[in-house]
Amino acid sequence: MDIFLQQVINGLVQGSIYALVALGYTMVYGIIELVNFAHGEVVMVGALVSLSVIERLVSRGYTGWPLIVISVLVAIPTCIALGLGIERVAYRPLRRAPRLAPLISAIGVSIALQQIAALIWGRNYLHYPDILPKTQYLIGGAVISQVQVVILLSAAVLMAALWVLVQRTRLGRAMRATAQNPAVAGLMGVDVNRIIATTFVVGSALAAVAGTLIGAYYQVGNHTMGFLLGLKAFTAAVLGGIGSLGGAMAGGLLLGVIENLGAGYMGKLTDGAVGSNYSDVFAFLMLVLVLIFRPSGLLGERGVEKV
Amino acid sequence: MNNFTLRALVTGIALASLAATATAADPIKIGISGPYTGGSSPMGLSMRDGAKLAVAEINKAGGVLGRQLQMVERDDEAKNERGVQITQELINKEHVVATLGYANTGVALASTRFYQEAKIPVIDNIATGSAVTRQFLPPEFADNYVFRNAAFDGIQAQMIVEEAVTRRKFAKVAILADSTNYGELGKADLEKALAAKNVKAVAVEKFNIKDVDMTAQLLKAKEAGAQAILTYAIGPELAQIANGMKKLGWKVPMIGSWTLSMGNFIDNAGAESEGARMPQTFIQEPNTPKRKAFIEAYLHAYNPANGRIPSPVSAAQGYDSVYILAAAIKQAGNTEGPKIRAALENLSEKVDGVVTVYDHPFTHDNHEAITSNIPVIGEVKGGHVQYAYEEERKNPLRLEKH
């Protein structure tokens, strides 16, 4: 039983990172109906920028969580600038183009960012210095480390803050209005370009935090780390219902838990025929099933409304 | 015969004679293909740099057959299709005399076929998949052009099991392997070696390249009561196994294939890499004059971080392979592929290498230079791979060929 609990805890930690990244996908999709395939690369840039900051400062005696906070404070503006730049250069000129055009442009940006990152940080695996305390807590036979607790808490706080921003503020109302109908929102005095840019700002800031957390958790970074992560987070967003904030959060957590339980128990269920390396397959299979039986996702709204 | 074909014919003859006169002074081109970027780059880079040292030494001493050696190096990125592309370029455009290479079994299996068809010898210096040298065996193929100067998986799996089960008496072991050719074949070799000792792994878990989260697999090993983890994977993923154990607050010894000596395992796992054990054909320890000279030359030429060769085994095997090849070219008297192959299979000169003294390293039917008596067990101590057993450190060269 403790092993089961441990798999669930690890899944929730992994899932809360997916959820943070999935929010970036779902917000952009909700507002301009674009799958921003470059979002995973923004996370990667966030992770590598924070790694660079940590490496610079660790030799000057900074360490522990304060250093992580400093690095995330550098990563956030970098990612925001990057997100705004991508929106301005690759998506805004194509807003009235056929839907396929911005999708291709997004894939182009994604590849370009990977190669630029390879030029800056090299193609090899980079190691995050050991700076965080190794404290571990016991819950009912399972172990949870301080890093895992911080990841769960910060993801929860950020998601709550985002919820408040979208549901309770003027800006949030403008975002929801733009999502429902950009043209009418514009007529009502909403600056649609500014709202779309704000969406990218929020998504990129979350990506920066997610990148830093992934780095701190797995202690390894590489210019290709954003690709599979982006794909998983996108899956999480679709699983929960793309366009829906609650859906992205639920989808992320669910995907993380499914993956870990899949890797943990698939071998036993299939009598060794399918090994733990098939956990990704399992996750994507779930996606297919959800799309067949509930095309709008678990928490997505049924019907024609596009949010 | 019309005017055009006549002109083409004359030009052709002129060009051909030009080419013939040029060869005497031309350098002897040797291809070298390995991953210089990505997860297996420590192996590829060390092999290339080791080989370069040997080429520079040979050239300084006057070259081979009065000609200089020239290395044509290409990054195969550990990708099969890239390896094949490079192979075709090396054979058809660069006209290499022989090729050294391959850190990855998949790339080796995909690429060597073209050398076999072109009758150009190729020495695999790193990739250990047992199948690499066995694709073109008689009677189907009269001659095999694929040689290896690395301890193949069959040998390594036996050593790993010997260390875990016999020497250290672990009754319950788990296997963790990646899902590439390397991991799959290695896992099968490990299971076979365990079965020979009447042991069955309590858990057999797999993961993919670039996976960063191994906790699910480790939890199953823990649940099954594993006392040691036997690994078959490469540096970055091995590091995530070590780091994953830390996350779970569980630590058992890691014993695995020689890749546990890779710099990117030791660096990315940090303190968690301590105590990992693996078979090694060479350990960065100056316990013979030849090894002392090699280590000093390598550190002087490339000045690697922490004074540590990124993959000492690859560097030594790469270095030695150039001397073996040079001896074969000398014995063949020219650079024709079939002649060099025949010379490799019956090498009369004893090559005093870093790994061992190569005395008739290959025969027509045995293309493995490294036999089971050559590798030793290494252990990560203080961020460096060192001898696990003192008697092996004191008795560095074990020569007799089996």
Side-chain angles (χ1 to χ4, degrees):
Chain A
M1 192 59 203
D2 57 336
I3 296 285
F4 179 79
L5 184 64
Q6 185 76 60
Q7 301 277 27
V8 171
I9 289 176
N10 292 341
L12 286 175
V13 173
Q14 212 177 344
S16 58
I17 295 174
Y18 288 157
L20 284 182
V21 183
L23 284 170
Y25 279 101
T26 220
M27 284 172 63
V28 168
Y29 185 86
I31 291 193
I32 53 174
E33 288 200 350
L34 163 77
V35 179
N36 177 13
F37 271 114
H39 192 61
E41 268 57 50
V42 178
V43 179
M44 173 269 293
V45 169
L48 295 183
V49 165
S50 76
L51 168 64
S52 296
V53 173
I54 291 171
E55 274 185 338
R56 293 277 139 73
L57 292 183
V58 79
S59 52
R60 298 195 189 155
Y62 291 83
T63 186
W65 290 109
L67 182 48
I68 297 284
V69 173
I70 297 172
S71 75
V72 90
L73 290 180
V74 179
I76 288 176
T78 315
C79 287
I80 288 178
L82 187 64
L84 283 176
I86 295 172
E87 194 271 328
R88 191 72 192 77
V89 174
Y91 301 150
R92 197 180 292 182
L94 296 174
R95 205 171 290 155
R96 299 194 192 289
R99 291 184 66 164
L100 200 55
L103 191 71
I104 302 295
S105 159
I107 292 171
V109 170
S110 156
I111 294 171
L113 284 178
Q114 274 191 31
Q115 297 308 317
I116 293 168
L119 288 176
I120 298 176
W121 286 282
R123 289 174 172 272
N124 289 322
Y125 284 80
L126 303 168
H127 174 56
Y128 279 65
D130 257 334
I131 52 168
L132 293 178
K134 309 254 185 298
T135 323
Q136 291 181 324
Y137 313 99
L138 270 172
I139 322 176
V143 180
I144 183 161
S145 69
Q146 204 182 69
V147 184
Q148 290 180 314
V149 173
V150 170
I151 290 174
L152 284 173
L153 286 182
S154 44
V157 168
L158 284 172
M159 288 193 261
L162 185 67
W163 189 265
V164 171
L165 173 79
V166 172
Q167 300 295 338
R168 293 277 181 273
T169 64
R170 246 180 99 80
L171 179 66
R173 193 162 48 188
M175 286 166 97
R176 281 179 287 140
T178 310
Q180 279 191 358
N181 191 327
V184 176
L187 288 176
M188 297 297 142
V190 174
D191 182 346
V192 174
N193 275 338
R194 199 175 69 88
I195 293 302
I196 293 174
T198 310
T199 311
F200 275 86
V201 166
V202 176
S204 304
L206 291 175
V209 177
T212 308
L213 291 176
I214 294 166
Y217 188 43
Y218 294 121
Q219 290 189 279
V220 61
N222 179 265
H223 70 286
T224 58
M225 67 191 281
F227 177 74
L228 193 60
L229 181 76
L231 205 59
K232 294 264 186 70
F234 174 64
T235 307
V238 177
L239 202 59
I242 192 148
S244 140
L245 294 183
M249 301 178 198
L253 292 175
L254 192 63
L255 189 70
V257 174
I258 290 174
E259 262 187 27
N260 273 267
L261 291 182
Y265 295 97
M266 195 155 16
K268 218 175 270 174
L269 289 177
T270 59
D271 203 19
V274 176
S276 35
N277 56 324
Y278 284 80
S279 66
D280 292 353
V281 177
F282 204 56
F284 290 117
L285 199 67
M286 282 295 285
L287 176 71
V288 173
L289 291 179
V290 167
L291 286 178
I292 290 173
F293 294 108
R294 245 193 102 87
S296 50
L298 296 176
L299 299 186
E301 287 165 37
R302 276 169 194 254
V304 288
E305 201 190 1
K306 69 176 184 180
V307 175
Chain B
M1 196 181 281
N2 69 35
N3 201 4
F4 176 75
T5 34
L6 184 71
R7 205 186 306 160
L9 194 68
V10 172
T11 324
I13 291 170
L15 276 177
S17 53
L18 197 70
T21 51
T23 44
D26 268 357
I28 297 175
K29 280 189 178 177
I30 300 172
I32 184 156
S33 165
Y36 308 143
T37 52
S40 32
S41 60
M43 304 191 274
L45 288 170
S46 301
M47 170 189 67
R48 183 194 67 186
D49 292 347
K52 270 172 145 175
L53 273 185
V55 166
E57 287 171 12
I58 291 171
N59 283 343
K60 215 173 150 193
V64 179
L65 306 177
R67 293 162 65 184
Q68 296 277 295
L69 298 182
Q70 186 194 342
M71 273 182 39
V72 186
E73 49 180 271
R74 294 288 182 271
D75 181 5
D76 64 31
E77 299 165 28
K79 291 179 184 149
N80 297 3
E81 65 280 6
R82 184 88 187 102
V84 167
Q85 215 179 337
I86 288 169
T87 301
Q88 287 169 336
E89 186 200 340
L90 289 176
I91 295 175
N92 300 321
K93 186 161 158 269
E94 298 289 344
H95 301 291
V96 296
V97 162
T99 287
L100 312 171
Y102 312 119
N104 311 87
T105 297
V107 182
L109 289 173
S111 308
T112 46
R113 180 166 299 277
F114 298 90
Y115 292 100
Q116 175 72 23
E117 280 166 11
K119 295 194 180 359
I120 294 175
V122 49
I123 303 181
D124 162 20
N125 278 325
I126 312 179
T128 57
S130 299
V132 173
T133 51
R134 297 177 195 169
Q135 280 197 107
F136 312 106
L137 293 183
E140 249 182 281
F141 297 84
D143 297 305
N144 181 0
Y145 281 80
V146 188
F147 297 82
R148 171 157 43 204
N149 186 30
F152 68 95
D153 285 337
I155 294 183
Q156 296 205 28
Q158 269 176 20
M159 288 186 70
I160 295 166
V161 168
E162 179 75 22
E163 166 73 16
V165 176
T166 312
R167 264 177 154 162
R168 293 170 76 183
K169 313 247 179 301
F170 295 127
K172 290 180 162 185
V173 295
I175 298 176
L176 261 72
D178 69 31
S179 57
T180 63
N181 264 355
Y182 179 65
E184 288 285 336
L185 296 171
K187 179 187 71 108
D189 282 333
L190 278 176
E191 284 178 323
K192 210 163 76 185
L194 282 172
K197 296 208 180 283
N198 287 321
V199 176
K200 195 170 178 299
V202 291
V204 179
E205 296 298 315
K206 292 187 275 185
F207 47 84
N208 297 318
I209 289 286
K210 293 199 176 165
D211 276 1
V212 285
D213 201 320
M214 313 291 180
T215 46
Q217 286 89 335
L218 285 165
L219 274 172
K220 284 182 71 185
K222 183 184 174 190
E223 192 181 23
Q227 298 161 310
I229 291 190
L230 311 187
T231 61
Y232 242 95
I234 59 167
E237 288 76 32
L238 290 168
Q240 293 312 116
I241 294 177
N243 290 337
M245 278 197 269
K246 175 176 71 179
K247 261 177 229 150
L248 297 175
W250 181 59
K251 172 129 184 157
V252 294
M254 281 173 81
I255 306 167
S257 62
W258 72 285
T259 43
L260 281 170
S261 67
M262 282 169 72
N264 56 8
F265 164 66
I266 298 173
D267 289 340
N268 288 336
E272 308 308 313
S273 67
E274 291 291 303
R277 288 192 180 181
M278 72 310 274
Q280 297 281 278
T281 55
F282 168 66
I283 283 171
Q284 191 180 337
E285 166 107 23
N287 55 358
T288 69
K290 184 79 192 171
R291 288 179 181 173
K292 186 162 184 287
F294 170 71
I295 294 168
E296 278 168 9
Y298 192 101
L299 298 186
H300 178 73
Y302 306 111
N303 194 20
N306 306 324
R308 192 183 68 203
I309 301 175
S311 171
V313 167
S314 314
Q317 286 166 182
Y319 177 90
D320 286 354
S321 71
V322 173
Y323 275 98
I324 295 175
L325 182 64
I329 296 175
K330 224 182 295 171
Q331 185 173 323
N334 62 35
T335 55
E336 284 165 29
K339 291 255 176 67
I340 298 176
R341 177 194 53 74
L344 279 170
E345 287 170 349
N346 185 23
L347 204 58
S348 49
E349 181 188 329
K350 274 191 190 178
V351 178
D352 184 10
V354 174
V355 170
T356 184
V357 178
Y358 297 88
D359 182 8
H360 289 89
F362 308 110
T363 63
H364 186 264
D365 296 324
N366 184 358
H367 281 200
E368 303 284 354
I370 305 291
T371 44
S372 60
N373 56 327
I374 292 175
V376 298
I377 295 285
E379 179 181 335
V380 180
K381 293 178 193 166
H384 288 256
V385 177
Q386 301 185 21
Y387 281 91
Y389 296 103
E390 185 60 19
E391 67 268 21
E392 290 184 335
R393 189 177 75 81
K394 284 187 182 148
N395 175 27
L397 287 175
R398 291 176 297 167
L399 287 176
E400 67 279 22
K401 170 108 183 161
H402 287 238

